[in-house]
């Protein structure tokens, strides 16, 4: 007898929450891919460990701890960039290792953190609550507001910071807000897919979309659709195959990225072959005349 998985309230909440995560990640992930900031996403994801660990030990909501860690990382990176004596990648690496080390120190003093650490790393989308959905809606609205407000600055800074400065778009502030946008996406998403897998949701749908379109808003919309499809498919796989939901969603998103690239390559190859055939026929007709 066929049972509709989404007849269960927890699966319905998981689908809604995962879809919100997909849209949030599509907005931030588009800029992550365009700017080549994958390392930043990975760093922020693991750099949230101190805040999550402290929140768990003290009995506070983990989202608050994760948010505080993300804000601290964003502020420290912004301060290091304003001084301009260290390269951006080096700054990220130093802050990442520092935050991760601090998190491990906190974890080492807690005997009951193993389960919470596993949930943080791999997520637990099936445990998404109504309160989590509310936070995701707020995060989505903030992401849209930041992406809209700083769109011109993000675009200009992506090509040439000097041009952005000349146009009065404040590339320094744009960089800080871009980091904040990524931090917001990761903070909002780690509850669903975990910090270890959230980078996959940030990158894979955008990579799949970017193969077909070039305009930034269109990339975001298409990536959001691919991400939502990954959530739906991943939840169905986890339900019927009895697999973990978070990893299933992330793996499916990466699979879509690979299939998208392969499909695009085959289409381009067929178009090239068709053009060559057409040119050969044209030459033969010319020769026959």
């Amino acid at each position: 007898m066929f049972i509709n998985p989404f007849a269960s309230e927890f699966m319905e909440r998981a689908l809604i929450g995962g879809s919100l995560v997909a849209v949030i990640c599509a907005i931030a992930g588009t800029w992550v891919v365009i700017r080549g900031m994958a390392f930043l996403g990975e760093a922020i994801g693991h750099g949230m460990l101190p805040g999550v660990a402290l929140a768990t030990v003290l009995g506070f909501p983990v989202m608050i701890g994760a948010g505080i860690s993300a804000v601290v990382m964003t502020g420290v990176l912004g301060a290091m960039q304003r001084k301009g004596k260290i390269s951006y990648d080096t700054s990220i690496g130093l802050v990442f290792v520092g935050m991760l080390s601090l998190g491990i120190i906190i974890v080492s003093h807690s005997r009951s953190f193993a389960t919470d650490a596993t949930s943080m790393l791999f997520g637990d989308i099936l445990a998404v609550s109504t309160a989590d959905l509310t936070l995701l809606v707020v995060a989505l609205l903030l992401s849209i507001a930041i992406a809209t407000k700083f769109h011109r600055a993000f675009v200009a800074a992506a090509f040439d910071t000097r041009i952005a400065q000349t146009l009065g778009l404040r590339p320094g502030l744009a960089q800080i807000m871009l980091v904040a946008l990524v931090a917001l996406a990761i903070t909002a998403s780690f509850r669903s897919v975990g910090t270890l897998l959230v980078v996959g949701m940030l990158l894979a749908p955008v990579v799949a979309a970017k193969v077909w379109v070039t305009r930034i808003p269109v990339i975001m919309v298409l990536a959001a659709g691919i991400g939502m499809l990954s959530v739906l498919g991943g939840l169905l796989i986890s339900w019927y195959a009895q697999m973990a939901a978070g990893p299933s969603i992330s793996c499916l998103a990466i699979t879509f990225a690979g299939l998208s690239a392969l499909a695009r390559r085959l289409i381009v190859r067929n178009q090239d072959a068709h053009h060559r055939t057409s040119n050969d026929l044209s030459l033969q007709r010319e020769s026959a005349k």
Side-chain angles (χ1 to χ4, degrees), residues 113-125:
F113 194 72
T115 302
D116 298 297
T118 301
S119 177
M120 188 195 79
L121 290 174
F122 300 105
D124 191 5
I125 193 171

Side-chain angles (χ1 to χ4, degrees), residues 104-183:
I104 293 173
I105 291 172
I106 297 171
V107 169
S108 66
H109 286 79
S110 174
R111 297 179 180 178
S112 61
F113 194 72
T115 302
D116 298 297
T118 301
S119 177
M120 188 195 79
L121 290 174
F122 300 105
D124 191 5
I125 193 171
L126 299 181
V128 169
S129 64
T130 303
D132 293 327
L133 294 180
T134 302
L135 288 174
L136 285 171
V137 171
V138 173
L140 175 57
L141 294 175
L142 284 174
S143 297
I144 293 173
I146 293 173
T148 303
K149 174 69 175 177
F150 292 92
H151 179 77
R152 290 184 63 231
F154 289 166
V155 173
F159 291 99
D160 195 325
T161 55
R162 291 172 298 180
I163 293 177
Q165 188 72 48
T166 303
L167 294 174
L169 296 175
R170 303 177 66 184
L173 177 61
Q175 182 64 30
I176 293 173
M177 294 309 299
L178 185 54
V179 174
L181 182 63
V182 176

Side-chain angles (χ1 to χ4, degrees), residues 214-276:
T214 55
R215 293 185 63 243
I216 291 173
V218 181
I219 292 174
M220 290 180 179
V221 172
L222 184 55
I226 295 172
M228 293 170 71
L229 185 61
S230 300
V231 171
L232 174 61
L235 287 174
L236 289 174
I237 291 171
S238 70
W239 175 273
Y240 290 109
Q242 297 296 304
M243 296 169 60
S248 298
I249 292 170
S250 185
C251 285
L252 188 58
I254 294 171
T255 300
F256 283 149
L259 291 175
S260 181
L262 178 61
R264 182 63 178 174
R265 184 177 300 177
L266 291 175
I267 290 173
V268 171
R269 184 179 298 174
N270 289 335
Q271 288 176 342
D272 290 342
H274 177 72
H275 288 319
R276 285 196 297 269

Side-chain angles (χ1 to χ4, degrees), residues 5-18 133 235:
F6 301 106
S8 305
E9 288 187 8
F10 73 92
M11 284 291 286
E12 184 180 4
R13 287 195 299 269
L15 179 60
I16 296 172
L133 294 180
L235 287 174

